[in-house]
């Protein structure tokens, strides 16, 4: 993770996650960055300015003026190569969305001419509130980069979405941004990604589904867009939101809808990554009315869904790169290689449920990239890092296709 020579303004706002910011500063500096820290007054209740000044080796400011001295927010906003607001509280987010300027952090934000990265942190109910949703969409539309929240224990004692991304993930996000700046090997390319579960209706109130969150596929869609691709993300039911300006989301519910959405764009697609956990079967009949409780057992007859990956593989033309996933519990490599051939894919991303921290629901994944003449086992890493690795490999495959 390289941030050599990068100048970063870190703005810390009032959230319990502020206690992680001295470590964030330390990791940014370790990656080669110069860091200046500003805070809101609420942040100082959670982290000491002295700690932040000590690790950053620069004074920490929180007011537009300190006595007779004016802290030049315009100078700071112009000095930085990136401004990172981490943690970003619901309050600061709302001010950013509406252009309020009652703190040094908001003044620097409004003065910044560099890219701005926002790592929100708040309780799940606040994170899911419609006004927060709107504010995130608004600041994204201004060109800010959103570093997704993580799932886990929250200050309220509840478990859910809303934790600030870990310092290592924030640094990885920045490093990937700078590495991709001016490096857009997929510019002009069109990509298709599937993500999330599918819901197969049983009756008007019930369905057959699975525990996929869509996180891995969303990370891949964003990583492809970071490399310059125009991405269509066909997304099954999930509460996760997608924040990248170059990602067009098509929401679907069932495997059939996902199939139709994919088939309609695949002809124009250069790269397709099918990360969705598609239900292999759907109920034969969907009841018009809610099925009433009757006997001690209930049989539901299932019919096989169309295999989207295999269908795209069947119509794949030269130059198109097709990537599938395989979630295996036994004979992993053998099964992954089998899927490569059976579905005419160019790569299979293998994850094993045996690996701790891998698979559904986690923020991390441990994958092996399996292509016809290569296989690459990667360490346990964040889903963003795994997505970047998959996309780098796709860029290599695209290049190989071109030079064949
Ligand atoms: N897939 C798909 N359409 C389906 C089923 C799966 O596009 N109807 C895709 C998944 O998105 C994934 C890959 O196929 O990229 C592997 O899915 P998986 O369920 O592991 O494989 P199956 O072929 O269904 O085999 P099995 O369940 O027997 O392992």
């Amino acid at each position: 993770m390289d941030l050599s020579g990068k100048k970063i303004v870190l703005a810390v706002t009032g959230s319990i996650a502020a206690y992680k910011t001295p470590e964030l500063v330390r990791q940014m500096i370790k990656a080669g960055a110069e860091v200046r820290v500003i805070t809101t007054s609420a942040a100082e209740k959670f982290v000491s300015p002295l700690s932040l000044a000590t690790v950053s080796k620069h004074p920490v400011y929180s007011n537009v003026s300190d006595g007779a001295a004016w802290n030049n927010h315009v100078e700071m906003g112009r000095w930085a190569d990136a401004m990172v607001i981490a943690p970003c509280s619901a309050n600061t987010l709302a001010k950013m969305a509406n252009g309020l300027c009652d703190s040094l952090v908001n003044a620097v934000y409004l003065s910044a001419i560099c890219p701005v990265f926002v790592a929100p942190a708040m309780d799940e109910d606040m994170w899911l509130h419609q006004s927060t949703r709107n504010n995130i969409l608004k600041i994204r539309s201004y060109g800010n980069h959103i570093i997704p929240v993580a799932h886990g224990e929250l200050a309220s004692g509840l478990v859910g979405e809303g934790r600030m991304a870990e310092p290592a993930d924030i640094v990885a996000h920045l490093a990937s941004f700078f590495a991709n700046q001016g490096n857009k090997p997929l510019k002009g390319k069109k990509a298709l990604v599937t993500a999330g579960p599918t819901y197969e209706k049983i009756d008007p109130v019930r369905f057959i589904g699975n525990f996929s969150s869509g996180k891995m596929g969303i990370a891949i869609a964003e990583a492809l867009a970071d490399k310059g691709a125009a991405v269509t993300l066909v997304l099954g039911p999930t509460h996760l939101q997608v924040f990248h300006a170059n990602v067009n989301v098509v929401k679907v519910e069932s495997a059939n809808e996902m199939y139709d959405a994919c088939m309609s764009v695949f002809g124009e697609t250069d790269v397709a990554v099918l990360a969705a956990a598609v239900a292999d079967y759907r109920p034969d009949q969907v009841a018009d009315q809610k099925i009433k409780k009757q006997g001690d057992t209930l049989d539901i007859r299932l019919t096989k869904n169309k295999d989207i990956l295999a269908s795209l593989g069947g119509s794949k033309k030269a130059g198109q790169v097709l990537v599938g996933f395989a979630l295996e519990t036994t004979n992993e490599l053998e099964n992954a290689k089998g899927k490569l051939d059976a579905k005419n894919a160019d790569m299979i991303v293998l994850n094993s449920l045996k690996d701790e921290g891998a698979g559904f629901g986690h923020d991390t994944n441990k994958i092996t990239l399996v292509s016809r003449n290569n296989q690459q086992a990667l360490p346990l890493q964040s889903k963003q890092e795994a997505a970047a690795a998959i996309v780098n490999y796709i860029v290599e495959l695209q290049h190989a296709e071109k030079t064949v």
Side-chain angles (χ1 to χ4, degrees), residues 194 255 258 273-280 305-310 323-328 335 339 343 348:
T194 66
M258 190 172 274
V273 183
L274 302 201
V278 186
D280 287 329
N305 277 324
K306 282 176 271 197
D307 190 314
I308 306 168
L309 180 59
V323 177
F325 269 66
L327 180 63
E328 303 292 344
N335 286 338
K339 279 179 191 167
K343 306 195 187 195
I348 293 288

Side-chain angles (χ1 to χ4, degrees), residues 54-73:
T54 309
V55 284
S56 68
K57 302 191 178 63
H58 285 290
V60 171
Y61 299 111
S62 65
N63 295 307
V64 178
S65 64
D66 284 322
W70 183 58
N71 295 323
N72 191 336
H73 53 85

Side-chain angles (χ1 to χ4, degrees), residues 117-400:
F117 295 82
V118 178
M122 62 199 75
D123 219 74
E124 186 174 53
D125 295 333
M126 295 167 79
W127 174 243
L128 296 178
H129 195 281
Q130 194 55 48
S131 56
T132 306
R133 310 278 81 207
N134 293 345
N135 289 336
I136 286 279
L137 292 175
K138 247 192 195 176
I139 68 159
R140 194 195 72 171
S141 74
Y142 306 155
N144 298 300
H145 302 260
I146 314 296
I147 303 177
V149 295
H151 182 274
E153 268 180 41
L154 300 164
S156 58
L158 299 173
V159 173
E161 297 285 326
R163 274 167 74 97
M164 183 180 79
E166 289 302 319
D169 294 335
I170 295 175
V171 173
H173 212 94
L174 292 171
S176 150
F177 172 81
F178 286 117
N180 285 327
Q181 237 183 2
N183 169 25
K184 305 278 180 204
L186 298 178
K187 199 168 167 46
K189 302 284 178 203
K190 293 201 171 109
L192 163 68
V193 179
T194 66
T198 62
Y199 286 180
E200 309 300 327
K201 262 193 178 163
I202 299 172
D203 67 15
V205 294
R206 303 185 181 93
F207 60 85
I208 295 174
N210 59 68
F211 292 118
S212 167
S213 63
K215 231 173 234 168
M216 191 66 236
I218 291 172
I220 291 170
E222 294 186 331
L224 286 163
D226 281 345
K227 293 272 185 215
V231 182
T232 300
L233 172 62
V234 180
L235 185 60
T238 171
H239 65 277
L240 296 182
Q241 289 217 326
V242 185
F243 300 118
H244 207 295
N246 270 356
V247 180
N248 173 38
V249 180
V250 178
K251 290 199 170 167
V252 295
E253 203 172 81
S254 64
N256 267 338
E257 285 171 19
M258 190 172 274
Y259 175 87
D260 290 342
C262 290
M263 292 310 268
S264 70
V265 297
F266 186 61
E268 303 295 309
T269 297
D270 301 288
V271 172
V273 183
L274 302 201
V278 186
D280 287 329
Y281 295 89
R282 67 178 182 279
D284 210 3
Q285 304 286 336
V286 179
D288 290 339
Q289 306 299 330
K290 185 180 163 210
I291 299 172
K292 285 288 190 195
K293 182 161 66 240
Q294 284 168 349
D296 287 343
T297 59
L298 171 70
D299 292 328
I300 298 176
R301 193 181 153 87
L302 302 176
T303 304
K304 205 174 208 171
N305 277 324
K306 282 176 271 197
D307 190 314
I308 306 168
L309 180 59
S311 305
L312 300 189
S315 64
K316 189 173 68 145
K317 293 192 281 300
Q320 286 184 306
V321 171
L322 181 61
V323 177
F325 269 66
L327 180 63
E328 303 292 344
T329 50
T330 51
N331 299 328
E332 286 100 336
L333 263 177
E334 205 181 305
N335 286 338
K337 284 185 180 155
K339 279 179 191 167
L340 201 58
D341 289 331
K343 306 195 187 195
N344 195 25
D346 300 288
M347 172 165 75
I348 293 288
V349 179
L350 165 65
N351 45 49
S352 165
L353 269 189
K354 276 192 213 148
D355 290 317
E356 198 162 317
F360 286 2
H362 297 283
D363 289 321
T364 50
N365 208 353
K366 189 166 183 299
I367 54 173
T368 303
L369 307 182
V370 183
S371 63
R372 288 215 164 60
N373 42 23
N374 196 8
Q375 70 201 41
Q376 214 175 306
L378 304 178
L380 184 70
Q381 52 192 342
S382 72
K383 285 190 170 166
Q384 276 70 29
E385 287 171 305
I390 293 166
V391 171
N392 283 337
Y393 200 82
I394 288 173
V395 171
E396 281 176 37
L397 284 175
Q398 262 245 326
H399 188 70

Side-chain angles (χ1 to χ4, degrees), residues 8-29 33-62 84-87 105 164 167:
I8 295 173
V9 167
L10 172 66
V12 182
T13 78
S15 148
I16 178 70
Y19 84 89
K20 293 183 178 169
T21 53
E23 174 60 17
L24 175 59
V25 173
R26 206 186 61 76
Q27 291 198 24
M28 284 174 169
I29 292 174
E34 186 183 343
V35 184
R36 302 216 177 154
V37 183
I38 56 176
T39 68
T40 59
S41 46
E44 292 176 3
K45 300 201 176 89
F46 296 100
V47 62
S48 117
L50 184 60
S51 308
L52 291 165
T54 309
V55 284
S56 68
K57 302 191 178 63
H58 285 290
V60 171
Y61 299 111
S62 65
V84 180
I85 304 175
V105 166
M164 183 180 79

